[in-house]
Amino acid sequence: MFDIQAIRADFPILNQTVNGKPLVYFDNGATSQKPQVVIDAISKYYTTINANIHRGVHTLSQLATDAYEVSRQTIQKHLNAAHAHEVLFTSGTTHGINLVASGFTQFLKEGDAVMVSAMEHHSNIVPWQMLCQRTGADLQVIPMDGHGDLILPAFESLLAQGRTKIVAVNHISNSLGTINPVKYIIDKAHAAGAAVLIDGAQSVPHMKIDVQELDADFYAFSGHKACGPTGTGVLYGKEAWLEKLPPYQGGGEMIKEVTFAHTTYAGLPHKFEAGTPHIAGGIVLGTAIDYLNQVGFENIAAYEHELLQYGNKKLAEIDGMQFIGTAKEKASVISFNLAGIHPYDVGTIVDKMGIAVRTGHHCTQPVMEHFNIPGTIRASFAFYNTKEEIDALVAAVKKAQMMLG
């Protein structure tokens, strides 16, 4: 049974008022809230085993190292990675994408191409643009249609040019909620000789990921969107690819032997984990993943889909409602506008009612340009939200429309 009240009781931040109203938090696409078990785990680390890892022989260092590596194994099993050393701890999805884009400098030359989609977050566009500037490669873009679905025949046509060395696409669009057919994209890209990186920032909190089944070469996600701490994340990479990529940063921990004449690098995963990491964050990210698995991803997906359907139905009853992103396969994200009203104005009034939504371009300016709009109001749901909260959002949007119309 999915007991929503028991779930909500796990999140202490939900039991408060904002602007004199009960908090309704619909900005989960930006960051999720944290369950008490995660908050307690952070406190436990700093009060009992705070020490640096991998370098000390003293007891606290050993305890911290063990906890950190147990978390890596937890994430390995969760993603079904073949090896724990294929799981690299990062500061988030952006860090992981930049690590791969930097490493691919040595694999590209003028005339080659990097492919992204028209619905990418800026963090999955800009690093590849910078890579193309360094190497002389071209940036290819998979177009999308008016519903927010990728145009797959165009994708195949771009691949057929034979120039693409890596394809980087999101699993779920943060601004549209589109669930992309990443298995299909991966298979087609591999058949054309291209590697694939999947931006899983919006997918890992909502669905179970099996990187071996997908056959992704790289899969990046952020901890803070999956009930974990900010400043944490993971880059999964196939062992063969990680062995080929050069280190992203130099420093302590990532070395095997250093002289002034020459340095050799440590093996995986340490080759990519220079310096003292966010130790507490890495440990507690494992706690967050355990929590999500305890709730159950089948339960999460089913309940959030129910919220999505209910939200679409209720918001559609508002005159002048304009939905942005109506793909066939969608996650629990609704982006919308009201005819003749700027999204920022709606968001400001909705906030006065205690409701947190995101307004703007959501770091996807090309998406907004595609739809010829300045931005959207985005309500992104999590498994701890309720239909009653959606009702409150609908009432607040109606009030904003009345005041601004």
Side-chain angles (χ1 to χ4, degrees), residues 41 63 85 112 146 176 194 202 207 218 222 238 335 363 369 388:
L63 289 171
H85 60 249
D112 290 338
L176 302 174
Q202 299 294 332
M207 61 175 67
F218 305 98
S222 299
K238 286 181 180 177
S335 278
C363 293
E369 184 178 349
E388 291 76 16

Side-chain angles (χ1 to χ4, degrees), residues 74 78 284-296:
T74 295
H78 175 69
V284 178
L285 180 52
T287 305
I289 294 296
D290 280 339
Y291 174 81
L292 289 172
N293 278 306
Q294 182 181 346
V295 175

Side-chain angles (χ1 to χ4, degrees), residues 68-138:
Y68 197 73
E69 293 306 324
V70 165
S71 179
R72 194 191 305 272
Q73 292 165 13
T74 295
I75 296 163
Q76 173 209 349
K77 292 172 185 174
H78 175 69
L79 297 176
N80 192 31
H83 309 285
H85 60 249
E86 293 179 319
V87 174
L88 310 181
F89 282 115
T90 67
S91 64
T93 308
T94 300
H95 180 181
I97 294 170
N98 276 276
L99 188 157
V100 177
S102 174
F104 258 72
T105 302
Q106 67 181 34
F107 301 127
L108 294 183
K109 63 183 185 302
E110 190 170 348
D112 290 338
V114 175
M115 191 185 302
V116 299
S117 88
M119 65 178 70
E120 297 308 312
H121 189 281
H122 295 163
S123 63
N124 205 25
I125 299 174
V126 179
W128 305 111
Q129 287 178 325
M130 295 168 69
L131 171 62
C132 289
Q133 289 168 0
R134 289 194 300 271
T135 61
D138 298 319

Side-chain angles (χ1 to χ4, degrees), residues 269-351:
H270 308 297
K271 168 184 168 184
F272 294 103
E273 295 182 350
T276 298
H278 185 355
I279 300 169
I283 292 170
V284 178
L285 180 52
T287 305
I289 294 296
D290 280 339
Y291 174 81
L292 289 172
N293 278 306
Q294 182 181 346
V295 175
F297 278 89
E298 285 188 6
N299 294 330
I300 290 171
Y303 181 70
E304 290 180 348
H305 184 67
E306 193 176 321
L307 291 178
L308 175 66
Q309 289 182 311
Y310 185 81
N312 275 326
K313 178 184 176 184
K314 290 296 184 179
L315 286 166
E317 295 171 0
I318 300 174
D319 290 338
M321 175 59 58
Q322 300 170 340
F323 291 112
I324 310 298
T326 54
K328 297 170 188 173
E329 297 292 330
K330 279 195 62 171
S332 53
V333 173
I334 302 178
S335 278
F336 63 93
N337 281 327
L338 295 176
I341 302 175
H342 197 283
Y344 180 84
D345 295 334
V346 177
T348 301
I349 292 176
V350 166
D351 174 63

Side-chain angles (χ1 to χ4, degrees), residues 219-405:
Y219 201 102
F221 71 92
S222 299
H224 73 97
K225 297 180 191 292
C227 295
T230 55
T232 65
V234 162
L235 173 68
Y236 158 81
K238 286 181 180 177
E239 180 182 54
W241 269 114
L242 294 179
E243 291 287 5
K244 285 191 285 188
L245 290 181
Y248 178 51
Q249 294 177 312
E253 188 64 24
M254 52 74 67
I255 54 85
K256 182 177 181 181
E257 184 178 358
V258 175
T259 70
F260 286 113
H262 183 67
T263 294
T264 55
Y265 304 127
L268 299 174
H270 308 297
K271 168 184 168 184
F272 294 103
E273 295 182 350
T276 298
H278 185 355
I279 300 169
I283 292 170
V284 178
L285 180 52
T287 305
I289 294 296
D290 280 339
Y291 174 81
L292 289 172
N293 278 306
Q294 182 181 346
V295 175
F297 278 89
E298 285 188 6
N299 294 330
I300 290 171
Y303 181 70
E304 290 180 348
H305 184 67
E306 193 176 321
L307 291 178
L308 175 66
Q309 289 182 311
Y310 185 81
N312 275 326
K313 178 184 176 184
K314 290 296 184 179
L315 286 166
E317 295 171 0
I318 300 174
D319 290 338
M321 175 59 58
Q322 300 170 340
F323 291 112
I324 310 298
T326 54
K328 297 170 188 173
E329 297 292 330
K330 279 195 62 171
S332 53
V333 173
I334 302 178
S335 278
F336 63 93
N337 281 327
L338 295 176
I341 302 175
H342 197 283
Y344 180 84
D345 295 334
V346 177
T348 301
I349 292 176
V350 166
D351 174 63
K352 299 301 181 185
M353 306 296 289
I355 301 171
V357 294
R358 179 71 46 159
T359 60
H361 55 66
H362 318 298
C363 293
T364 57
Q365 289 183 4
V367 171
M368 303 305 138
E369 184 178 349
H370 175 84
F371 288 100
N372 195 29
I373 53 177
T376 70
I377 304 145
R378 185 188 69 183
S380 48
F381 309 132
F383 59 91
Y384 44 72
N385 290 128
T386 67
K387 291 179 181 177
E388 291 76 16
E389 290 180 318
I390 292 174
D391 291 338
L393 171 65
V394 172
V397 171
K398 287 180 178 178
K399 182 173 182 179
Q401 185 181 47
M402 181 181 66
M403 294 173 64
L404 298 167

Side-chain angles (χ1 to χ4, degrees), residues 188-203:
K188 289 293 184 181
H190 284 170
V196 182
L197 177 144
I198 302 297
D199 171 355
Q202 299 294 332
S203 52

